[in-house]
Amino acid sequence: MVESEPKVFIPESFQVNYDIVTQMKMIWDVMKAPLIVPFLNACVYISLAMALMLFMERVYMGIVIVLIKLFWKKPEQRYNYEPLREDEELGNSNFPVVLIQIPMFNEKEVYKVSIGAACGLSWPSDRLVIQVLDDSTDPVVKQLVEMECQRWASKGLNITYQIRESRGGYKAGALKEGLKRNYVKHCEYVAIFDADFRPEPDFLRRAIPFLVGNPELALVQARWRFVNSNECLLTRMQEMSLDYHFTVEQEVGSATHAFFGFNGTAGVWRIAAIDEAGGWKDRTTVEDMDLAVRASLRGWKFLYLGDLEAKSELPSTLRAFRFQQHRWSCGPANLFRKMAMDIIRNKKVKFWKKVYVIYSFFLVRKIVAHMVTFFFYCLVIPLTILVPEVYVPIWGAVYIPSVITILNSVGTPRSIHLLFYWILFENVMSLHRTKATLIGLLEYGRANEWVVTEKLGDSVNNKTKSGDAAKKTNAKVQKKTRSKFVERLNFLELGFAAFLFFCGCYDFQHGKHNYFIYLFLQSLSFSIVGFGYVGTIV
């Protein structure tokens, strides 16, 4: 008697799922050779081209900054510079009248220090006009700021408290409205300080002589220093990125083309240059860069002083940092869309300066730098693991990003030990910046969104407190600023964390390049940001 084979009963739901997986695999196999492989190859070539653009830009900047440090004369030697002093006969009349503008919006934590720093400038009080441009919507904050202005006015300072009926134009609207006042006609220069900025007392005495002695100069820009850079890992990462911007990008632009993007604060403008350039405009969220480009196209020159510093505060919460980075990425891309043809058609600016502004300043730094970081290292390379037919050269995947990273680290040598995590963190933020850049280029959605960066008051730098007390205060501040767990979640980052983890697992099982080490670490970084905990790591 022949024994019958045992019957295997497969659940119907499992059969359905098995059939779906089989069909998807068949579709993948059919589409891979004619469609997916050529498309991914094209993405690799485009990414490599962008990586080479960024690489050559970084190498060029590195060479120029070395030459500047070794051979360039100091600004005091390159420009006509004569310190201003009181005259026995003329008194203070040889000092130009300077306007100080401090734009504010619900700045309860920092309004006192910013107003106090402006009032403490060592400039003749009869040649100084201070405007506090308060767009606050909180009536309590408005009252506090107004009382602080009155307190300084009672000491003999020429300080005015100015409000508007609406926040039209945001910061640009406030600055523009401030320049319309009749008393501003007597002012030759305007210094702008955001609410968390604290210039040293000699700030004007060091900056103004450059403008007085060089009528072709429109702007003197100072460097930012960060009082809370040691607060947490998030602020350390920001310091590394911004220090490169100030140490290299601003210095090179100033020395080679007398042009760079105004940083919106800690700078002194010639009011005549602002008027000639068309004044403040609110067509983008980077009104400072907009004004700088328009003034440059009029033939005005800019000077960056790396040894002239103003203290400021870095965003110490991920939410505040993300809003800031959206504005800083979306705005320049949107401005490039609006001004590219104006720059090309301009006849007052030399050809090489136009090339620098269009290619280096806008295209490479404001667009390519964000996109290549995200598309190549977070999307294309992981996808090539799933499609082994696509080849990525080792020089593009490893050597070029390594050199770029080393060159970026020169601005903050004290944080060299954080370089590896800085790379992973910048890759995570490149997702957010790329999205903002595309919004700006296409001018849709949140292209004109303006969210004021939250400031916490920098309690760590209060000299009247001991180190332990400062740490306790910071802990309380962080505790207050923590939102609910669900509100902290960033689902886009969490989705990419899962994608990179899957690619890492696949590479560990089937790959040949050992990318899984990088992919697992990058997945972990996306997860940390996705759960919103990066701002709490000290």
Side-chain angles (χ1 to χ4, degrees):
M1 184 176 180
V2 180
E3 295 183 359
S4 61
E5 295 183 0
K7 295 183 179 181
V8 179
F9 295 96
I10 301 176
E12 185 177 349
S13 59
F14 182 83
Q15 290 178 345
V16 172
N17 291 334
Y18 182 79
D19 290 341
I20 293 175
V21 172
T22 303
Q23 291 176 6
M24 290 180 63
K25 188 176 184 305
M26 291 177 58
I27 294 173
W28 172 263
D29 292 336
V30 170
M31 294 178 59
K32 186 164 69 170
L35 295 177
I36 296 174
V37 172
F39 174 75
L40 203 52
N41 271 323
C43 291
V44 169
Y45 296 143
I46 294 172
S47 298
L48 289 174
M50 291 194 295
L52 282 172
M53 291 170 65
L54 185 60
F55 171 76
M56 290 186 291
E57 169 74 7
R58 291 293 187 265
V59 171
Y60 160 75
M61 301 283 276
I63 293 172
V64 174
I65 196 63
V66 170
L67 294 175
I68 290 173
K69 297 300 183 182
L70 293 178
F71 303 110
W72 253 248
K73 295 180 180 179
K74 293 183 177 180
E76 291 82 359
Q77 297 172 321
R78 299 201 314 267
Y79 291 88
N80 183 21
Y81 181 83
E82 186 67 32
L84 297 173
R85 296 182 176 89
E86 291 81 358
D87 190 278
E88 294 182 0
E89 296 181 358
L90 300 176
N92 296 328
S93 60
N94 60 325
F95 283 80
V97 182
V98 179
L99 173 69
I100 306 291
Q101 290 187 316
I102 309 175
M104 290 190 174
F105 179 74
N106 294 335
E107 308 288 0
K108 184 179 180 180
E109 303 294 339
V110 294
Y111 74 94
K112 279 190 176 182
V113 290
S114 58
I115 294 175
C119 293
L121 291 168
S122 59
W123 195 259
S125 59
D126 60 330
R127 313 297 287 175
L128 190 66
V129 180
I130 302 173
Q131 279 185 344
V132 177
L133 309 171
D134 191 11
D135 279 353
S136 297
T137 54
D138 187 335
V140 175
V141 175
K142 293 173 73 172
Q143 185 179 10
L144 290 172
V145 175
E146 185 175 11
M147 289 175 61
E148 184 69 10
C149 293
Q150 291 173 355
R151 187 174 73 86
W152 283 103
S154 66
K155 296 181 179 182
L157 273 296
N158 187 0
I159 181 171
T160 60
Y161 176 72
Q162 184 173 316
I163 60 175
R164 299 186 295 161
E165 293 183 359
S166 68
R167 287 189 68 208
Y170 301 107
K171 180 180 174 181
L175 296 172
K176 184 177 182 179
E177 187 68 23
L179 291 177
K180 292 180 180 179
R181 302 296 174 173
N182 290 330
Y183 56 81
V184 174
K185 296 178 181 178
H186 303 290
C187 302
E188 297 180 52
Y189 311 105
V190 54
I192 302 168
F193 300 105
D194 282 354
D196 60 315
F197 274 74
R198 310 155 200 189
E200 295 297 325
D202 64 345
F203 187 94
L204 294 181
R205 287 183 177 267
R206 296 179 61 188
I208 295 295
F210 285 102
L211 294 165
V212 172
N214 303 274
E216 74 280 6
L217 282 180
L219 167 68
V220 174
Q221 173 71 59
R223 176 172 178 160
W224 300 358
R225 281 296 181 189
F226 311 109
V227 295
N228 65 332
S229 58
N230 292 324
E231 186 174 342
C232 61
L233 189 58
L234 176 61
T235 54
R236 291 292 292 272
M237 299 297 101
Q238 294 176 69
E239 183 191 36
M240 293 179 70
S241 300
L242 289 171
D243 275 354
Y244 175 82
H245 168 70
F246 286 107
T247 304
V248 179
E249 293 178 346
Q250 297 285 83
E251 191 77 63
V252 170
S254 175
T256 56
H257 298 283
F259 170 79
F260 48 83
F262 174 46
N263 295 316
T265 180
V268 186
W269 274 91
R270 190 186 301 273
I271 294 180
I274 296 178
D275 294 336
E276 186 180 338
W280 292 101
K281 294 185 178 181
D282 59 353
R283 56 180 177 170
T284 69
T285 56
V286 284
E287 73 295 323
D288 43 14
M289 188 182 296
D290 188 352
L291 177 61
V293 174
R294 285 185 283 113
S296 178
L297 295 180
R298 291 280 185 172
W300 290 98
K301 296 181 179 180
F302 306 155
L303 172 63
Y304 170 72
L305 297 178
D307 58 351
L308 179 62
E309 300 176 352
K311 295 178 182 178
S312 63
E313 179 183 334
L314 290 165
S316 54
T317 64
L318 183 61
R319 175 182 171 83
F321 180 62
R322 282 166 60 91
F323 278 124
Q324 182 198 69
Q325 292 302 297
H326 174 86
R327 188 171 75 249
W328 286 7
S329 301
C330 177
N334 191 231
L335 182 62
F336 179 65
R337 169 194 172 104
K338 287 179 164 67
M339 293 206 67
M341 293 309 299
D342 292 338
I343 299 171
I344 293 172
R345 297 191 188 111
N346 186 274
K347 297 181 179 179
K348 289 187 177 182
V349 177
K350 295 180 180 179
F351 173 76
W352 287 113
K353 187 171 183 177
K354 290 196 285 187
V355 171
Y356 173 79
V357 174
I358 291 176
Y359 176 79
S360 181
F361 181 77
F362 273 116
L363 185 61
V364 177
R365 291 188 225 162
K366 310 301 182 185
I367 298 175
V368 168
H370 303 324
M371 289 188 173
V372 69
T373 303
F374 170 65
F375 283 120
F376 195 24
Y377 305 113
C378 298
L379 199 59
V380 173
I381 289 180
L383 285 174
T384 59
I385 294 171
L386 306 178
V387 187
E389 294 87 347
V390 178
Y391 172 70
V392 179
I394 190 69
W395 57 264
V398 179
Y399 299 149
I400 281 184
S402 299
V403 174
I404 291 174
T405 301
I406 293 171
L407 292 174
N408 280 343
S409 67
V410 299
T412 317
R414 79 182 187 94
S415 298
I416 194 71
H417 62 289
L418 298 174
L419 192 59
F420 187 73
Y421 184 72
W422 177 77
I423 298 170
L424 299 175
F425 177 71
E426 284 293 295
N427 287 350
V428 175
M429 290 309 301
S430 69
L431 165 63
H432 191 64
R433 292 172 183 144
T434 298
K435 183 176 70 172
T437 300
L438 292 174
I439 289 174
L441 285 174
L442 301 176
E443 201 169 29
Y444 73 95
R446 297 165 58 197
N448 294 313
E449 180 185 58
W450 181 286
V451 178
V452 176
T453 303
E454 179 187 14
K455 305 171 187 70
L456 301 180
D458 175 38
S459 58
V460 295
N461 216 44
N462 192 332
K463 295 182 179 179
T464 62
K465 297 181 180 180
S466 65
D468 293 338
K471 289 180 180 179
K472 290 179 181 178
T473 305
N474 280 339
K476 291 179 181 178
V477 171
Q478 287 185 355
K479 188 175 181 179
K480 290 180 181 179
T481 56
R482 288 173 184 163
S483 57
K484 295 180 181 179
F485 176 75
V486 176
E487 294 175 351
R488 297 172 66 108
L489 296 180
N490 300 303
F491 293 101
L492 192 58
E493 282 83 354
L494 290 174
F496 263 91
F499 164 70
L500 292 172
F501 183 77
F502 169 76
C503 292
C505 293
Y506 188 91
D507 185 58
F508 180 77
Q509 287 293 110
H510 308 288
K512 301 178 182 179
H513 302 291
N514 293 326
Y515 285 153
F516 65 88
I517 300 174
Y518 156 74
L519 291 172
F520 286 149
L521 291 172
Q522 190 66 74
S523 175
L524 178 62
S525 299
F526 268 97
S527 298
I528 293 173
V529 176
F531 285 111
Y533 282 106
V534 68
T536 62
I537 302 175
V538 180

